[in-house]
Amino acid sequence: MTSTGSAIGIGADEWGIPLKDHIGDLLRGRGYPVLDYSGFPVRDYPDVASDAAEAICRGECTRAILFCGTGLGMAIVANKFYGVRAVTAHDTLSAERARTSNDAQILTMGAMVIAPSAAETVVDRWLAAEFGGGRSLRKVERVNQIDARNRLPPSRAARR
């Protein structure tokens, strides 16, 4: 797999740093521009996930991969941002379906849950997959409607 030219965000808390470094090196080796939202010194997962999700919202990157102990905390925080769909996946089918059916822009993984070699395979499948539209388009549009109904988009939230 080679780069599409679009930057991929990565980030991790203290638990995810080794796996983030491993996957970051893999991505760079394949020619992907990588933006790291981890910070230094290492920050807690809510801050890392917030920065990465905001980068997705701003268009700074089109996809991001975040790492913590289980991947769950990162997904919870990233999904607080308007228009962001983050999923935790540790298998290739879930990763692929997250893209093709759910148009997930953020993949989260747990360094305590998955080995680096398995994480590579999951990341490869997720990066290779694209949103397919079709029958899933109506469902993703419905998710977007629910998001808009229950959360203010950034432009409206700023006026509060």
Side-chain angles (χ1 to χ4, degrees):
M1 175 169 315
T2 58
S3 169
T4 61
S6 181
I8 297 174
I10 59 172
D13 68 1
E14 65 180 307
W15 292 99
I17 289 289
L19 186 55
K20 185 257 323 175
D21 289 345
H22 179 83
I23 296 298
D25 290 345
L26 177 82
L27 295 171
R28 286 183 200 91
R30 292 182 178 169
Y32 286 97
V34 174
L35 302 172
D36 193 335
Y37 297 97
S38 302
F40 186 81
V42 177
R43 299 180 308 146
D44 293 333
Y45 75 84
D47 301 314
V48 175
S50 291
D51 286 352
E54 287 175 357
I56 293 285
C57 292
R58 288 190 307 267
E60 197 171 292
C61 53
T62 56
R63 296 197 202 183
I65 307 168
L66 305 176
F67 306 90
C68 61
T70 62
L72 301 173
M74 290 286 194
I76 289 168
V77 173
N79 280 314
K80 301 290 183 198
F81 288 80
Y82 183 82
V84 171
R85 290 174 299 284
V87 298
T88 303
H90 295 108
D91 66 272
T92 56
L93 177 62
S94 297
E96 180 178 38
R97 297 289 296 174
R99 284 294 304 145
T100 61
S101 295
N102 306 117
D103 199 18
Q105 311 103 313
I106 297 179
L107 172 67
T108 69
M109 303 177 87
M112 296 167 50
V113 179
I114 191 167
S117 60
E120 289 178 20
T121 305
V122 171
V123 167
D124 283 344
R125 183 73 68 91
W126 185 72
L127 289 173
E130 292 294 338
F131 180 57
R135 291 182 9 204
S136 296
L137 179 61
R138 173 181 57 82
K139 297 169 192 168
V140 170
E141 287 174 346
R142 185 71 183 115
V143 169
N144 292 337
Q145 290 169 356
I146 291 167
D147 199 22
R149 184 179 71 226
N150 292 294
R151 263 194 291 200
L152 291 175
S155 60
R156 289 180 43 209
R159 288 185 249 156
R160 275 185 147 174

